[in-house]
Amino acid sequence: MSTPDRGEYPGVGRVLVIIPTYNEADNIRPIVQRVRAATPTADILIADDNSPDGTGRIADELSAGDQHIHVLHRPGKQGLGAAYMAGFAWGTDHDYDAVVEMDADGSHAPEELPRLLDALGEADVVLGSRYVKGGTTVGWPFHRHLISRSGNLYVRMALGMPFRDATGGYRAYRTPVLSKIEIESIASQGYCFQVDLAWRSYHNGFRVEEVPITFTERQRGHSKMSSTIVGEALWLVTVWGARARWETLRRGIAGGGPRTQRRDARAGARQGG
């Protein structure tokens, strides 16, 4: 068996792990070290929103000592979705074949990244799932479990998607998918940003796989989740679901089908656009 070129993950190609940061000075060094150990061929992009605690400076130090680590300095706190959008654009501009979303706080175990990338060899999008067989959460109180599971159940019912965990933030995309789902039109943040990406990927016919992960509650720092983000998500999911049902009804009346673009979209992603 031939050895893959340096910097390429077998079956996937060049991989960029995007780690958004805001006040993650206590977490960024260990998480970067763990990613580098788990997937030595992958590159890392730290997208820092001008953290006042010096996270950006630490990121620059890490980058100076390792050619696989890059830093994107952003002018201020603009939200998780905006940070990922900037990271996706950077990855596309630098010719990466796949991009990965990963939290900086250690809740997403870098040691499980090969599991996502192995699945991406046969898929267009891979969702790290807490709620498929083998997935779990660590350190969550009962009410967090209830909110998360209820939210995902509502997403499945409202949007008609089969995924057990459409709200999680540990996932991988082939870069051609991002252009075809028109991510530049996404305005939602956080919790809803992840639902929006999963929904667009599924709705456009891409092959989306779920793999089990262990989600561990952060040990240092503070969560960026808020009731505003959750409220936005519930409202937008309701709107998307209603719109999709109306579109299905309209196509049915016109004699069309609701998934006519699925095979063409999937083929385009596999061929690189």
Side-chain angles (χ1 to χ4, degrees):
M1 184 175 69
S2 61
T3 301
D5 294 337
R6 178 176 173 79
E8 293 193 0
Y9 193 89
V12 177
R14 298 183 67 227
V15 174
L16 181 69
V17 180
I18 303 169
I19 305 178
T21 56
Y22 184 78
N23 287 348
E24 297 288 358
D26 292 337
N27 294 314
I28 192 60
R29 287 187 189 275
I31 200 66
V32 165
Q33 291 169 356
R34 289 171 63 189
V35 172
R36 294 290 293 117
T39 51
T41 60
D43 286 358
I44 298 170
L45 177 67
I46 302 168
D48 185 64
D49 277 8
N50 196 24
S51 300
D53 71 345
T55 301
R57 174 183 54 79
I58 296 172
D60 285 337
E61 293 174 0
L62 293 170
S63 178
D66 189 334
Q67 64 179 351
H68 287 274
I69 302 172
H70 310 276
V71 184
L72 179 62
H73 291 284
R74 290 161 42 76
K77 188 177 182 181
Q78 299 173 0
L80 183 68
Y84 275 129
M85 294 277 285
F88 293 160
W90 194 96
T92 300
D93 289 344
H94 288 79
D95 299 321
Y96 285 90
D97 299 297
V99 293
V100 175
E101 298 182 13
M102 179 184 291
D103 287 352
D105 59 16
S107 56
H108 300 148
E111 294 76 17
E112 295 183 324
L113 179 55
R115 182 181 299 168
L116 274 70
L117 295 178
D118 289 345
L120 196 64
E122 300 295 332
D124 303 311
V125 179
V126 176
L127 309 180
S129 178
R130 297 159 290 186
Y131 305 129
V132 296
K133 184 178 181 180
T136 189
T137 59
V138 176
W140 268 15
F142 175 76
H143 76 276
R144 286 287 299 276
H145 281 286
L146 182 61
I147 291 172
S148 179
R149 285 187 175 274
S150 298
N152 274 287
L153 176 60
Y154 183 73
V155 167
R156 289 202 305 277
M157 294 175 61
L159 299 181
M161 293 193 298
F163 313 127
R164 306 288 296 180
D165 194 354
T167 64
Y170 196 9
R171 47 180 66 180
Y173 299 87
R174 291 185 177 272
T175 49
V177 171
L178 301 175
S179 62
K180 292 182 181 295
I181 64 175
E182 301 178 345
I183 62 170
E184 65 277 0
S185 66
I186 295 177
S188 51
Q189 293 294 324
Y191 190 88
C192 200
F193 175 78
Q194 307 297 5
V195 176
D196 200 347
L197 284 177
W199 166 237
R200 290 176 184 231
S201 299
Y202 177 74
H203 190 66
N204 280 277
F206 294 108
R207 182 161 47 181
V208 183
E209 301 285 345
E210 286 188 278
V211 299
I213 62 165
T214 297
F215 181 94
T216 304
E217 179 69 351
R218 67 158 62 226
Q219 299 299 308
R220 296 182 293 271
H222 301 283
S223 172
K224 311 301 190 299
M225 183 60 68
S226 70
S227 58
T228 300
I229 292 174
V230 175
E232 174 205 39
L234 293 176
W235 167 248
L236 287 177
V237 166
T238 302
V239 171
W240 297 338
R243 185 180 299 155
R245 283 168 171 76
W246 166 249
E247 182 66 15
T248 299
L249 178 61
R250 186 187 66 80
R251 288 181 179 180
I253 293 173
R259 298 182 180 178
T260 55
Q261 299 177 351
R262 293 183 68 83
R263 285 195 301 271
D264 290 342
R266 181 164 56 244
R270 304 297 296 177
Q271 297 170 8

